[in-house]
Amino acid sequence: MSERLKPGDTAPDFTLPDADGNEISLASHQGRKVIVYFYPAALTPGCTKQACDFTDNLELLANAGYDVIGVSPDKPEKLAKFREQESLKVTLVGDPSKATLEAYGAFGEKKLYGKTVTGVIRSTVVVDEKGLVEHAFYNVKATGHVAKIIKDLGI
C-alpha cells in the first residue's frame, strides 16, 4: 500500500490526459490552490454524485482561489462520456497506470461491503500555491464530502 500524504508534504507532480486527451499537470496550477480528488470510476452512482457536487460548487471554490481536478483510473474516452452525460464542469483526468493514485496514497487495500479489496481509496488532497499538501482526506464518503471540504477550508 502506498504512503498517505500529510500536511506539509510536497504534493507529487503529475501529468495526465483529460477527457479531451490534453495533458493536465499539477505544476501548471502553481500559484493557485488545487483540490485534487481521487474517485474509483466514472459513470457510477457515488462518483457521479461527488463530481456533480464539485461541479455545483466550482464557482464558489474558484472564487476562493481553488482549482479542482478529479482523478480516476479511467481512460479519456470514458471521462468524456461521463462529462457529457452529467454536464460536468470539473477537470477530469485519467490515470490508467494508477501511478498518480499510488503516489497520493489513494490506491491500495480498502473495505468494500465487508470484504478487503485492492482499489481506489476515495480521497481528496488540497494543495497550496507552492505545491505543498495543505489537507489530506482519505476514505471519504461521496455524498456530503464537498460540503465538508468547503466548511473545513472556511469558504
Side-chain angles (χ1 to χ4, degrees):
M1 172 147 155
S2 44
E3 198 66 26
R4 291 188 171 184
L5 298 176
K6 300 175 294 311
D9 288 350
T10 298
D13 194 20
F14 59 82
T15 301
L16 296 169
D18 70 4
D20 298 314
N22 300 315
E23 299 282 304
I24 303 293
S25 70
L26 182 62
S28 68
H29 291 265
Q30 191 107 25
R32 286 195 48 89
K33 293 184 178 201
V34 185
I35 296 170
V36 185
Y37 80 97
F38 300 89
Y39 63 100
L43 301 167
T44 58
C47 297
T48 297
K49 172 76 176 119
Q50 189 176 23
C52 288
D53 281 354
F54 271 116
T55 292
D56 292 346
N57 289 286
L58 207 54
E59 191 175 332
L60 175 73
L61 291 165
N63 289 340
Y66 292 90
D67 295 335
V68 179
I69 302 173
V71 182
S72 73
D74 297 308
K75 290 184 167 46
E77 303 79 39
K78 187 173 181 187
L79 297 174
K81 184 177 179 189
F82 187 34
R83 182 186 62 198
E84 303 312 314
Q85 191 172 311
E86 302 298 334
S87 302
L88 300 173
K89 302 278 184 259
V90 64
T91 300
L92 301 173
V93 298
D95 181 24
S97 75
K98 301 177 187 71
T100 299
L101 288 157
E102 289 177 357
Y104 275 79
F107 189 84
E109 281 191 0
K110 64 179 186 173
K111 292 269 189 220
L112 189 65
Y113 306 112
K115 292 185 177 145
T116 300
V117 297
T118 300
V120 176
I121 299 162
R122 193 181 302 275
S123 311
T124 301
V125 176
V126 180
V127 181
D128 73 11
E129 301 90 341
K130 296 182 184 98
L132 299 177
V133 174
E134 201 171 272
H135 300 279
F137 306 99
Y138 291 94
N139 294 308
V140 301
K141 301 278 182 238
T143 306
H145 180 59
V146 175
K148 183 179 179 341
I149 289 174
I150 289 167
K151 183 175 178 235
D152 288 352
L153 296 177
I155 299 171

